[in-house]
């Protein structure tokens, strides 16, 4: 979706005509030859080896929240030119959040809670072994497939083999919810974690729904329009919100000055 959005914007398309090709080329190059990078930080220097899986994760994280997807073409262009600093910094930040203390203000995950929730839901749908076989059968870029397997299976469902969580009853992961309660459903066109087709399918089961797709990544509540739509809905859940702000959401492509 980001490729198409950039190609459809004259300024982005002119500045980054090889956006998609550059991304594929960088992943292929790093798959064959990981690049050592020295990152200077206040705490000292850090040695990081940037490989293809780290690069794919960098792409995922870059487009993850709100309107950040608009910075991806510039980020890929910089990496294609040989500057891997941003990718290395993203890894160091991820390590800090993953292994740092889990308390307000740190940005760190509560991994115990994460694993418990994931195993109660996705864990009830199948095993890590089944998921690995499914991922291996998908015809996609090998770096994307290997990153997805490592991230969502090895670090996700794989944990459930020993986390020993009892699934919910009823388990909403395998028992879809249907309701006539007024419901506001917002989805992001560029959301890499929960793509629009998931919510579009679920929306059919909510008869009194207001369903909108915003040009955004994940966490739509971080966007001004998302907040506005939520506020309108909470003020009157039975009234259709004024959605004019969606049309006003223009991507702020990162372009050279």
């Amino acid at each position: 979706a980001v490729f198409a959005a950039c190609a459809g914007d004259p300024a982005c398309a002119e500045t980054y005509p090889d956006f998609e090709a550059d991304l594929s080329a960088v992943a292929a190059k790093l798959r064959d030859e990981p690049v050592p990078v020295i990152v200077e930080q206040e705490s000292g220097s850090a040695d990081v080896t940037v490989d293809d899986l780290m690069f794919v994760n960098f792409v995922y994280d870059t487009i993850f929240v709100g309107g950040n997807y608009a910075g991806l073409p510039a980020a890929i262009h910089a990496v294609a030119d040989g500057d891997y600093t941003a990718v290395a910094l993203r890894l160091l930040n991820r390590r800090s959040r993953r292994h740092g203390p889990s308390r307000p203000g740190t940005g760190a995950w509560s991994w115990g809670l994460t694993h418990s929730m994931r195993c109660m839901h996705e864990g009830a749908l199948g095993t890590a072994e089944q998921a690995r076989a499914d991922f291996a059968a998908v015809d996609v870029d090998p770096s994307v497939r290997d990153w997805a397997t490592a991230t969502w299976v090895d670090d996700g469902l794989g944990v459930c083999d020993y986390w020993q969580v009892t699934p919910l009853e009823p388990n909403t992961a395998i028992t879809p919810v249907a309701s006539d309660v007024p419901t506001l459903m917002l989805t992001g066109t560029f959301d890499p974690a929960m793509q629009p087709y998931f919510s579009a399918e679920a929306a059919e089961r909510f008869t009194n729904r207001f369903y909108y797709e915003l040009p955004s990544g994940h966490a739509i509540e971080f966007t001004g329009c998302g907040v506005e739509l939520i506020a309108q809905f909470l003020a009157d859940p039975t009234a259709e919100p004024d959605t004019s702000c969606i049309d006003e959401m223009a991507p702020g492509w990162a372009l050279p000055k």
Side-chain angles (χ1 to χ4, degrees):
V2 181
F3 296 141
C6 181
D9 182 281
C12 187
E14 181 180 358
T15 306
Y16 308 109
D18 303 317
F19 172 30
E20 185 172 359
D22 283 348
L23 192 153
S24 298
V26 169
K29 176 183 178 181
L30 291 174
R31 189 173 183 84
D32 293 335
E33 299 179 21
V35 175
V37 179
I38 298 177
V39 179
E40 299 295 337
Q41 298 179 297
E42 291 184 2
S43 58
S45 61
D47 296 327
V48 178
T49 299
V50 176
D51 61 15
D52 60 323
L53 303 194
M54 193 184 305
F55 174 67
V56 173
N57 188 79
F58 169 76
V59 173
Y60 179 92
D61 278 357
T62 299
I63 65 176
F64 190 71
V65 175
N68 291 354
Y69 69 90
L72 184 62
I76 298 304
H77 181 73
V79 177
D81 278 352
D83 184 357
Y84 298 93
T85 305
V87 183
L89 283 170
R90 187 63 55 88
L91 173 70
L92 294 175
N93 178 263
R94 186 179 182 85
R95 285 177 177 170
S96 175
R97 288 186 288 112
R98 188 178 183 90
H99 301 293
S102 178
R103 60 173 182 263
T106 63
W109 284 97
S110 174
W111 284 104
L113 177 60
T114 298
H115 294 321
S116 295
M117 294 298 296
R118 182 173 289 169
C119 294
M120 279 193 294
H121 292 86
E122 288 95 330
L125 298 175
T127 65
E129 183 178 358
Q130 291 171 332
R132 288 191 187 94
D134 291 340
F135 278 41
V138 177
D139 183 19
V140 296
D141 182 285
S143 296
V144 173
R145 182 189 59 239
D146 291 352
W147 171 82
T149 301
T151 302
W152 302 116
V153 182
D154 297 342
D155 284 353
L157 284 177
V159 175
C160 301
D161 291 341
Y162 56 84
W163 202 246
Q164 300 297 309
V165 172
T166 302
L168 297 173
E169 183 59 45
N171 194 320
T172 55
I174 55 178
T175 307
V177 175
S179 176
D180 60 359
V181 173
T183 305
L184 175 66
M185 305 182 76
L186 304 178
T187 187
T189 301
F190 308 104
D191 188 342
M194 190 59 62
Q195 297 174 31
Y197 67 84
F198 286 115
S199 55
E201 180 180 336
E204 296 301 316
R205 298 191 297 271
F206 291 78
T207 55
N208 290 316
R209 66 183 179 276
F210 297 111
Y211 176 86
Y212 306 109
E213 183 175 325
L214 282 64
S216 171
H218 199 67
I220 292 175
E221 64 272 19
F222 290 167
T223 67
C225 185
V227 171
E228 183 178 331
L229 293 173
I230 292 170
Q232 290 184 59
F233 177 75
L234 293 177
D236 186 352
T238 64
E240 183 175 359
D242 175 1
T243 60
S244 57
C245 65
I246 297 178
D247 296 331
E248 298 170 358
M249 292 178 69
W253 299 111
L255 303 172
K257 296 182 179 179

